Amino acid sequence: MPDSLSVTSLGNFRLRGFDDNEHLHQLATPALPRRFPPPELERRQHNLPAEPDQFIGRHAEQSELTRLLSGHRLISVTALPKTGKSRLVQHLARREATSYRDGAWYADLSAYQDLGSALTAACGFRDDPFRPLLDCVIESLRGRECLIVLDGTRDHHAAPISRLLAECSGVRVLSTSRQPLGLVGEVKWALPTMAVSDAAALMRRHAMAASGGIDPGDCTELAAYVDGFPPAVSILASALPLMGADRLLRKLRAEKLALLDSRGELSALLDQVHDQLSPRAAHLLRALSAWPAAAGVDEVERLCGGAAAALDALINLVDLSLVDIHRDGGEAVYRLPAPVRWYADHQRQKIGENAPVARPQPAASKPPLPRLSWMPAHR
């Protein structure tokens, strides 16, 4: 190289369109200027969409998921459709993106045929026409520390997710689905119904949006009557501008399922999930609909006719997010959110099934049961 030329190291940069950091050098000569604009960099820490409005509530759920992500590499958030699970994981990932050296990356799997295509687009990787996309993704993610959010996982995604985690030790996966993936090391986390105060605030905002900004007033009683069940909150919010909170609450108390399902939305949603239940789980769901209080393990065993049958049926209901789990002095008890209870009771009456005759036992006589939806799966 001629003596008049020199090379100056500029350091490592993440350039737009490149998968990895690149070390840049500047060639200097007396005939050329030495100062140039900085290179165009890829500055993003995430690809998450901007929030359409302020996120409401779910503070306890965010704290719990953050805690779980600190100790586990695969968290599956399970919930019924239209319960806000996608919005929750997006909000959490946006908040936590800077906690990961290489950011957080979100993929809506419903828009892609396979995991490799989804992650290539989400992370901005280049594809290779001569190699499977998943191979390219895994090669690019090796050595990186990032959070991958997979929205809408299904059974056929389990094997590629397992391979991704096995070959990319710095990757953590937060997924949403209707049911767990069943992978070793997976933490199953069933999204509970909303706190009443959060559900009331959400209902109020949706009602204002549907009425040109007219405030319907306090929605706490309405939200409490449906146990903060998000699909019911949305349905009631659309009716609030027409009836007002007081009149709508009176009609809801009188008509319950008939009012919530006047357009068939609720039954269509719950029918999809009901069809995935085993016969034992469907029987337990109907039996719980007529149960006068939250049921502990003893009641569930009596309703199912045995411990083994009860465990299988209960896990099926928990995995499909049809029951809420509560702690009463360290003991787990299970109850149906009010709209699910009304739906299940309608199913029970439709087939002519009698209500259970057993009575709840005193709480002190019931042994504790682990929170099944929080237990890692093992094979």
Side-chain angles (χ1 to χ4, degrees):
M1 186 172 62
D3 293 340
S4 61
L5 299 180
S6 63
V7 176
T8 303
S9 173
L10 301 179
N12 291 318
F13 293 86
R14 177 84 180 272
L15 301 177
R16 182 171 298 174
F18 286 75
D19 295 339
D20 297 301
N21 289 334
E22 302 291 337
H23 193 96
L24 299 186
H25 297 81
Q26 179 176 313
L27 182 65
T29 177
L32 293 175
R34 290 179 174 269
R35 293 185 178 181
F36 294 91
E40 189 173 9
L41 305 180
E42 175 62 80
R43 298 183 182 277
R44 295 188 307 167
Q45 277 291 103
H46 63 78
N47 69 328
L48 291 144
E51 296 196 89
D53 48 30
Q54 184 179 359
F55 187 80
I56 291 179
R58 295 290 194 186
H59 301 296
E61 290 87 344
Q62 292 179 62
S63 297
E64 179 69 8
L65 285 172
T66 300
R67 183 188 67 80
L68 289 172
L69 280 169
S70 69
H72 303 274
R73 296 186 58 215
L74 173 59
I75 314 295
S76 289
V77 178
T78 61
L80 296 170
K82 300 183 179 180
T83 51
K85 57 184 181 293
S86 296
R87 183 78 188 271
L88 172 62
V89 297
Q90 288 178 28
H91 178 78
L92 179 70
R94 190 181 296 103
R95 193 187 75 180
E96 295 295 317
T98 56
S99 301
Y100 297 85
R101 187 187 68 197
D102 297 299
W105 306 96
Y106 169 82
D108 179 359
L109 298 182
S110 66
Y112 299 92
Q113 292 184 339
D114 55 66
L115 186 66
S117 301
L119 288 178
T120 298
C123 300
F125 296 147
R126 291 170 294 177
D127 60 352
D128 183 337
F130 303 104
R131 300 174 62 200
L133 286 177
L134 186 61
D135 290 355
C136 299
V137 168
I138 288 174
E139 183 175 297
S140 298
L141 288 177
R142 281 198 189 101
R144 296 196 184 186
E145 296 176 5
C146 61
L147 174 65
I148 300 293
V149 181
L150 301 176
D151 197 359
T153 57
R154 297 185 178 275
D155 291 344
H156 66 272
H157 294 122
I161 290 173
S162 179
R163 184 185 165 201
L164 175 70
L165 291 170
E167 298 191 37
C168 304
S169 60
V171 169
R172 294 176 186 266
V173 172
L174 177 63
S175 81
T176 72
S177 59
R178 295 188 187 180
Q179 297 187 73
L181 294 167
L183 293 174
V184 174
E186 176 185 23
V187 175
K188 303 184 292 182
W189 195 84
L191 180 66
T193 54
M194 296 186 76
V196 169
S197 59
D198 295 342
L202 184 64
M203 188 186 300
R204 190 172 187 172
R205 186 172 71 187
H206 284 183
M208 291 177 67
S211 63
I214 299 174
D215 191 346
D218 187 18
C219 300
T220 302
E221 287 189 84
L222 276 169
Y225 200 75
V226 295
D227 290 336
F229 188 61
V233 168
S234 297
I235 292 170
L236 292 175
S238 65
L240 259 175
L242 304 176
M243 299 187 192
D246 292 339
R247 184 182 178 194
L248 185 57
L249 180 60
R250 288 196 300 270
K251 287 184 69 68
L252 181 62
R253 285 171 172 163
E255 301 177 20
K256 295 182 174 64
L257 186 63
L259 175 66
L260 281 180
D261 202 37
S262 59
R263 293 183 293 183
E265 296 175 59
L266 187 64
S267 60
L269 183 153
L270 293 175
D271 283 346
Q272 293 178 38
V273 184
H274 187 270
D275 291 344
Q276 300 175 48
L277 294 175
S278 68
R280 284 176 174 171
H283 169 75
L284 177 59
L285 181 72
R286 295 191 297 270
L288 288 173
S289 73
W291 198 253
V297 63
D298 283 351
E299 288 87 3
V300 171
E301 287 182 2
R302 285 198 297 276
L303 291 171
C304 290
L311 186 61
D312 288 342
L314 190 56
I315 289 175
N316 199 184
L317 294 182
V318 168
D319 283 350
L320 287 169
S321 304
L322 287 170
V323 295
D324 268 347
I325 308 169
H326 299 269
R327 292 284 179 182
D328 183 9
E331 174 189 351
V333 292
Y334 304 86
R335 64 185 296 273
L336 305 181
V340 177
R341 186 173 69 250
W342 301 333
Y343 167 86
D345 191 56
H346 175 71
Q347 298 295 317
R348 181 184 63 79
Q349 294 181 42
K350 188 165 65 173
I351 66 174
E353 191 173 76
N354 292 327
V357 296
R359 294 290 180 266
Q361 298 297 307
S365 68
K366 295 179 289 186
L369 184 68
R371 191 169 190 172
L372 300 174
S373 61
W374 265 251
M375 295 172 58
H378 296 283
R379 285 181 174 171

